[in-house]
Amino acid sequence: MLSLKKYLTEGLLQFTILLSLIGVRVDVDTYLTSQLPPLREIILGPSSAYTQTQFHNLRNTLDGYGIHPKSIDLDNYFTARRLLSQVRALDRFQVPTTEVNAWLVHRDPEGSVSGSQPSSGLALESSSGLQDVTGPDNGVRESETEQGFSEDLEDLGAVAPPVSGDLTKEDIDLIDILWRQDIDLGAGREIFDYSHRQKEQDVDKELQDGTEQEDTWSGEGAEALARNLLVDGETGESFPAQFPADISSITEAVPSESEPPGLQNNLLSPLLTGTESPFDLEQQWQDLMSIMEMQAMEVNTSTSEILYNAPPGDPLSTNYSLAPNTPINQNVSLHQASLGGCSQDFSLFSPEVESLPVAGSSALLPLAPSNSTSLNSTFGSTNLAGLFFPPQLNGTANDTAGPELPDPLGGLLDEAMLDEISLMDLAIEEGFNPVQASQLEEEFDSDSGLSLDSSHSPSSLSSPEGSSSSSSSSSSSSSSSSSSSASSSASSSFSEEGAVGYSSDSETLDLEEAEGAVGYQPEYSKFCRMSYQDPSQLSCLPYLEHVGHNHTYNMAPSALDSADLPPPSTLKKGSKEKQADFLDKQMSRDEHRARAMKIPFTNDKIINLPVEEFNELLSKYQLSEAQLSLIRDIRRRGKNKMAAQNCRKRKLDTILNLERDVEDLQRDKARLLREKVEFLRSLRQMKQKVQSLYQEVFGRLRDENGRPYSPSQYALQYAGDGSVLLIPRTLADQQARRQERKPKDRRK
DNA sequence: GTAGAGTGTCATTGG
DNA sequence: AACCAATGACACTCT
């Protein structure tokens, strides 16, 4: 076992040297590609090729190779794969690299600490460089990462870990861990692209020549690169090879109170470069940033900015040539710290890292609850290490076993978001899952937008005319219904209407023309039957609305309203009796009474005539007091009957409208829940990205002795200008405490 | 025979 | 004050 380990280590070192010889650098875009797949899954659906869990098996299955990670054939395997991948990557472009400017603020007071810019400390500065054509490595991410790591250490003049020979155990462990990390996290398909390495090589050359990084980008190299369209390592999106970081377009929508302009802008880009659905990605980012912004509103980051940020004019910290649509890169300079091969990788981090302290501190506040103890509580808002360093890295890259560090975005998610997630899950369990929502939508879509369909409306007319009238009236508001009923009842042409007027005038006309009576099917059918049985009564047709009602009270059939009926002599005697009985049954009580009292006009006239005409009509006849009283009662009851029908119909419409509103709200709720699920899912993946990238960056930091920094003692802090600072935890904790108080004060 | 829906009627209220 | 729409409540009929 020991020999195996040694063999592995030696093999890795040899491989690293090999990669460095051919100019391969490791870049963080490995993580970009490895982390974005989940986002793609959100948008495009799951893709087994990007499933993160498969990365663990990647080394055993890639390219058909079946090999155990500890196999002694590892170097052969890696070499073969690397060469193959390099060949494959020859025609690909690569994302511009990320520049990481970190300032070690504490460690040696007399040295060039905060503010100074050691020219040699640009471990993470990278650019495209033409890769050695002889050995472009595209596919072997693990070896590539490691190679880039050591290569950077060599090239950058920073204190590099021993490349061979006297490797300490920490070094070996770190190498092993980083190697495994790269494997586990997965690498992008174009991580080791040709153009990318070309840029890197160029930068490396310039660094060796003592050229400042910003000169590189502002000079010919940058222009030349700008002319070329680079392809995002993950998404394949083409964009100018500049140092852009035009995340401002995104973050502008998320204003932050206390942060200087550009602070937020730098870290978003990588996720926005998805070729398949960049807009969706941007939307997701906007959602994320909006949440973070809400939290950032409560936090003042000015303190940290004053303390640790490079001045605004600092070329290193502000050298983002923010070309639009090229938001990939983020400059993070790790001064006084050597960072292995983190070139553009940090750009992926940027969105999160930036937004955390910026939006900062607020977003992180939940991470370090005041009641938490020791380190966790002290990791402030801007203390990235405390937030992001996972136990894994702590145990491995850390010589002093530090306490377990909280989750990077744990504060974001753990408290508020997790509650929401749980609520959401609960809501889904309660029946608002997307499937049901979609079903609901289908159901509604089939409803033609009206809540009043036959199944829902027991009072709807069974006849086509009736249903149309009913649906139209139901679609209108109840107020319109009442107004329509009022208009119909107020109409002076009662004889033409002859119907109960609930619906509007036009509707009433349609209904009357079709039915000529009360707008309910039972009455209509009865009336029709009666009318066709006795054509002689067709003359009564407009006025027989009351006859059709169900309520036929047993009264003496003696009092037929003879005024509107043809002479009985025209009918045969046998059928005449039957028809009389039938008509008696069809007549209402008031009609029977009117007939009994020998009222000389129809009940319809009594009921529907306007007051003036009604009084005129009464004046034409010499009527007794009993007749007048009956006529007034008939009129009152008739009007009230119509009013009751209208009222009931209105009531039904109101109920149906409420039902439709409830269904609409349920549909909206289901949709919002779906959106929430997707948003939370993307947020979780962002969190994972931030965590892994933080680990990547921090794990590659080396002190002057070439040893990794202890996560328990140091933390990465995201400064307001986009740079990343390596500060001791105590300082970070103090800052965090200060920023914790501010939102509280603000709430007061 | 009973429950429930549909309808008519009365009393009341408010415009 | 008269008229009328709206509506709750009740009764009746029908299924």
Side-chain angles (χ1 to χ4, degrees):
Chain A
M1 192 65 184
L2 198 64
S3 62
L4 248 182
K5 176 98 176 181
K6 184 181 179 183
Y7 183 88
L8 174 66
T9 303
E10 291 175 358
L12 285 173
L13 288 174
Q14 292 173 0
F15 183 61
T16 298
I17 296 169
L18 235 170
L19 286 177
S20 68
L21 287 175
I22 63 175
V24 175
R25 289 188 59 162
V26 177
D27 54 71
V28 188
D29 284 336
T30 307
Y31 290 107
L32 178 64
T33 52
S34 66
Q35 294 295 321
L36 265 182
L39 258 185
R40 294 186 175 187
E41 288 187 10
I42 294 175
I43 300 162
L44 303 175
S47 170
S48 61
Y50 289 100
T51 303
Q52 210 168 6
T53 55
Q54 294 194 353
F55 294 144
H56 299 283
N57 301 325
L58 209 52
R59 57 184 160 196
N60 294 337
T61 57
L62 270 182
D63 293 343
Y65 282 81
I67 186 170
H68 191 275
K70 302 278 183 173
S71 169
I72 56 174
D73 294 327
L74 207 55
D75 50 356
N76 292 332
Y77 163 72
F78 283 148
T79 304
R81 279 192 49 194
R82 170 179 54 80
L83 295 176
L84 179 61
S85 302
Q86 286 174 345
V87 170
R88 285 176 180 171
L90 277 177
D91 57 341
R92 299 182 191 174
F93 288 107
Q94 181 80 6
V95 180
T97 58
T98 300
E99 184 179 11
V100 179
N101 298 325
W103 299 79
L104 186 55
V105 182
H106 55 33
R107 190 122 180 205
D108 56 347
E110 73 283 358
S112 60
V113 191
S114 62
S116 66
Q117 282 187 15
S119 60
S120 63
L122 300 175
L124 288 183
E125 290 178 1
S126 59
S127 61
S128 69
L130 185 56
Q131 179 167 357
D132 188 353
V133 182
T134 62
D137 186 348
N138 188 27
V140 191
R141 70 175 63 80
E142 53 273 35
S143 58
E144 168 117 2
T145 304
E146 188 150 350
Q147 181 276 335
F149 169 75
S150 53
E151 178 203 19
D152 282 336
L153 293 178
E154 292 176 358
D155 292 341
L156 296 171
V159 183
V163 177
S164 64
D166 55 346
L167 269 178
T168 65
K169 185 160 191 323
E170 294 105 4
D171 293 329
I172 296 173
D173 288 341
L174 180 60
I175 291 172
D176 189 23
I177 284 155
L178 288 174
W179 174 74
R180 269 188 259 135
Q181 249 186 337
D182 290 337
I183 293 175
D184 290 343
L185 291 172
R189 45 190 170 91
E190 284 100 11
I191 288 167
F192 310 103
D193 276 353
Y194 161 78
S195 62
H196 172 60
R197 263 179 294 291
Q198 182 179 12
K199 285 178 61 180
E200 287 178 338
Q201 202 173 44
D202 290 342
V203 169
D204 288 342
K205 285 178 183 177
E206 291 175 3
L207 285 176
Q208 288 173 357
D209 294 339
T211 309
E212 285 291 334
Q213 143 205 1
E214 49 271 24
D215 294 338
T216 301
W217 289 106
S218 60
E220 296 178 358
E223 293 177 359
L225 286 173
R227 275 183 239 117
N228 296 330
L229 279 184
L230 296 183
V231 179
D232 185 288
E234 173 206 7
T235 62
E237 183 185 47
S238 297
F239 57 93
Q242 264 193 340
F243 243 10
D246 189 18
I247 312 150
S248 58
S249 60
I250 300 165
T251 53
E252 280 174 2
V254 186
S256 179
E257 284 186 1
S258 59
E259 61 189 345
L263 177 72
Q264 269 186 342
N265 303 344
N266 306 322
L267 296 173
L268 292 178
S269 47
L271 296 177
L272 300 177
T273 59
T275 13
E276 294 87 351
S277 54
F279 185 77
D280 291 344
L281 284 176
E282 178 173 285
Q283 183 60 44
Q284 300 223 13
W285 266 115
Q286 286 176 346
D287 293 340
L288 176 63
M289 292 305 294
S290 61
I291 281 188
M292 289 181 169
E293 180 238 358
M294 289 175 62
Q295 294 175 332
M297 301 290 279
E298 304 174 358
V299 176
N300 190 345
T301 59
S302 59
T303 306
S304 61
E305 293 166 7
I306 294 172
L307 284 176
Y308 303 110
N309 289 358
D314 187 342
L316 267 182
S317 56
T318 59
N319 61 352
Y320 314 114
S321 58
L322 304 179
N325 303 327
T326 57
I328 294 286
N329 290 311
Q330 168 73 20
N331 294 341
V332 182
S333 299
L334 295 177
H335 297 280
Q336 288 216 349
S338 60
L339 179 54
C342 278
S343 48
Q344 58 194 26
D345 303 11
F346 207 77
S347 64
L348 185 89
F349 242 137
S350 0
E352 300 291 0
V353 175
E354 180 176 10
S355 58
L356 284 176
V358 173
S361 13
S362 64
L364 298 179
L365 281 181
L367 287 177
S370 57
N371 57 0
S372 62
T373 61
S374 69
L375 282 178
N376 287 348
S377 64
T378 52
F379 296 166
S381 16
T382 56
N383 187 346
L384 293 178
L387 301 172
F388 299 157
F389 252 80
Q392 172 196 5
L393 196 63
N394 289 341
T396 56
N398 195 2
D399 42 359
T400 67
E404 279 198 359
L405 297 174
D407 209 5
L409 285 177
L412 253 181
L413 293 176
D414 289 349
E415 296 188 356
M417 301 310 292
L418 288 184
D419 289 343
E420 291 184 3
I421 290 173
S422 60
L423 284 176
M424 168 195 63
D425 294 339
L426 182 62
I428 289 176
E429 289 175 0
E430 288 173 353
F432 287 101
N433 59 33
V435 176
Q436 287 178 328
S438 60
Q439 290 175 351
L440 200 62
E441 284 183 355
E442 293 175 359
E443 188 178 335
F444 286 149
D445 291 340
S446 65
D447 265 357
S448 75
L450 295 179
S451 64
L452 188 65
D453 56 7
S454 59
S455 62
H456 288 159
S457 172
S459 71
S460 62
L461 300 178
S462 57
S463 64
E465 300 86 354
S467 63
S468 65
S469 164
S470 173
S471 61
S472 61
S473 64
S474 68
S475 64
S476 61
S477 65
S478 59
S479 61
S480 66
S481 301
S482 62
S483 64
S484 64
S485 67
S487 64
S488 67
S489 63
S491 171
S492 60
S493 60
F494 77 98
S495 59
E496 294 174 358
E497 292 181 355
V500 175
Y502 167 72
S503 51
S504 63
D505 289 337
S506 59
E507 294 168 353
T508 304
L509 281 178
D510 295 336
L511 188 65
E512 289 157 7
E513 290 171 2
E515 301 179 0
V518 180
Y520 287 108
Q521 173 63 19
E523 292 85 1
Y524 176 49
S525 59
K526 287 178 185 177
F527 169 74
C528 287
R529 252 183 282 125
M530 177 190 68
S531 300
Y532 288 122
Q533 278 185 347
D534 187 2
S536 65
Q537 297 182 0
L538 281 175
S539 59
C540 306
L541 195 146
Y543 313 104
L544 290 180
E545 57 169 313
H546 304 96
V547 179
H549 289 299
N550 289 333
H551 297 276
T552 57
Y553 299 93
N554 295 328
M555 290 183 68
S558 60
L560 271 177
D561 194 353
S562 59
D564 294 319
L565 292 177
S569 60
T570 60
L571 299 175
K572 293 182 179 179
K573 192 173 183 179
S575 62
K576 190 171 72 179
E577 289 180 355
K578 290 180 182 178
Q579 290 170 356
D581 293 341
F582 182 81
L583 289 176
D584 288 343
K585 290 179 182 177
Q586 302 299 318
M587 284 194 301
S588 65
R589 283 182 298 178
D590 280 337
E591 283 171 332
H592 283 289
R593 289 171 192 153
R595 175 172 290 189
M597 296 288 288
K598 301 186 186 309
I599 304 298
F601 29 79
T602 63
N603 284 16
D604 296 311
K605 285 183 179 177
I606 295 173
I607 296 169
N608 295 320
L609 277 179
V611 181
E612 295 178 359
E613 295 183 22
F614 176 69
N615 292 332
E616 232 177 280
L617 185 66
L618 291 183
S619 63
K620 289 178 183 175
Y621 297 90
Q622 289 289 341
L623 297 172
S624 65
E625 195 61 33
Q627 283 177 319
L628 287 176
S629 176
L630 178 62
I631 288 172
R632 296 188 190 281
D633 284 345
I634 288 172
R635 183 177 173 86
R636 178 181 50 81
R637 283 193 286 265
K639 285 188 174 298
N640 186 253
K641 190 171 76 175
M642 290 189 296
Q645 289 170 349
N646 291 335
C647 181
R648 283 168 179 147
K649 198 165 187 177
R650 200 161 35 240
K651 201 180 291 183
L652 184 64
D653 285 343
T654 302
I655 292 172
L656 293 173
N657 285 332
L658 287 175
E659 183 185 16
R660 185 191 58 188
D661 291 344
V662 168
E663 289 169 348
D664 289 344
L665 289 174
Q666 286 176 345
R667 184 169 45 187
D668 290 344
K669 184 179 178 181
R671 178 182 53 81
L672 291 174
L673 283 172
R674 274 200 309 271
E675 294 175 358
K676 188 177 182 181
V677 169
E678 291 185 2
F679 165 73
L680 290 174
R681 191 183 303 140
S682 67
L683 195 62
R684 276 195 290 264
Q685 283 157 5
M686 304 293 177
K687 170 189 163 186
Q688 291 176 354
K689 253 180 244 166
V690 173
Q691 184 176 355
S692 61
L693 288 174
Y694 183 93
Q695 295 168 14
E696 169 88 7
V697 172
F698 193 91
R700 295 184 181 189
L701 294 177
R702 294 292 180 276
D703 58 10
E704 58 272 15
N705 295 327
R707 286 180 298 190
Y709 289 99
S710 166
S712 60
Q713 295 175 353
Y714 296 98
L716 285 180
Q717 186 181 51
Y718 196 78
D721 59 354
S723 62
V724 175
L725 307 176
L726 181 65
I727 61 174
R729 283 212 170 272
T730 55
L731 208 57
D733 296 341
Q734 291 175 2
Q735 251 187 302
R737 277 193 288 270
R738 276 198 300 270
Q739 290 179 352
E740 274 183 18
R741 292 188 204 115
K742 288 179 181 177
K744 291 178 182 176
D745 296 341
R746 223 178 255 185
R747 284 169 189 163
K748 293 173 183 175

